[in-house]
Amino acid sequence: MITILCLISCMSFANQNYDADIQKLQNKASKSSDLYVEPEFNFKTYKSITLDIVVTNEFGDPSANVIMRISSLPVGDNIGTDELWAKKSVISLVRTDQFGRVFRQIEVSNSVNSLLLELHQQTANNIVELNLPDSLYVSHTFEIH
């Protein structure tokens, strides 16, 4: 009995027309039900980035329990590096595992184009700015002395 009922109601949905209402395309919307959105419109306002970061010492051995700050940077073509880094937004604090590695996914706004990675170690090259590739896979190796 339930199967027959479902078939009848499912068939009624299959016959509906989902083409855009011409009036909604031509008139200004006064409420959300008046809006028309293209079928390929993406409601997601974030993207998932895979981070693969390794921290080693000068001998190439893994450095465990190193804390790192991951921040997003604003888009700024005419802004100097110091000003840009001052306007960063912290996304996450992470710690390397026993293999000196951080491997995880983080979600950032679609507007984020670069990340700032900062080790909490007093060493040369403890900070790096990385542009996000199209693959959304970020890999970097820090060597601490």
Side-chain angles (χ1 to χ4, degrees):
M1 180 73 171
I2 295 174
T3 305
I4 294 170
L5 203 59
C6 178
L7 284 173
I8 292 169
S9 66
C10 291
M11 288 172 52
S12 68
F13 285 116
N15 295 331
Q16 289 185 359
N17 182 3
Y18 291 101
D19 290 335
D21 180 353
I22 299 300
Q23 294 297 333
K24 289 184 181 181
L25 295 175
Q26 295 174 348
N27 299 330
K28 186 175 178 180
S30 60
K31 56 186 179 203
S32 63
S33 62
D34 292 339
L35 295 174
Y36 172 73
V37 178
E38 293 290 336
E40 61 273 0
F41 181 78
N42 183 3
F43 285 97
K44 256 179 27 178
T45 59
Y46 66 92
K47 54 189 168 190
S48 294
I49 299 170
T50 301
L51 296 176
D52 190 0
I53 303 165
V54 177
V55 180
T56 63
N57 63 19
E58 65 267 18
F59 305 111
D61 297 326
S63 296
N65 297 317
V66 175
I67 297 173
M68 182 182 326
R69 183 181 322 171
I70 302 166
S71 304
S72 64
L73 295 174
V75 177
D77 295 328
N78 299 324
I79 301 176
T81 302
D82 292 338
E83 286 181 66
L84 190 65
W85 289 3
K87 295 181 179 183
K88 66 187 174 199
S89 296
V90 177
I91 297 171
S92 181
L93 285 173
V94 295
R95 183 184 304 252
T96 59
D97 62 14
Q98 70 265 23
F99 305 107
R101 189 171 188 200
V102 172
F103 187 83
R104 69 177 52 180
Q105 283 198 325
I106 60 171
E107 293 178 350
V108 298
S109 168
N110 279 334
S111 63
V112 173
N113 294 323
S114 59
L115 295 177
L116 187 67
L117 308 178
E118 301 172 88
L119 291 181
H120 286 257
Q121 296 278 337
Q122 293 299 329
T123 183
N125 302 319
N126 65 343
I127 188 167
V128 66
E129 180 182 345
L130 299 172
N131 290 327
L132 294 180
D134 291 337
S135 65
L136 299 179
Y137 177 84
V138 176
S139 178
H140 187 74
T141 299
F142 284 102
E143 184 179 303
I144 58 176
H145 300 279

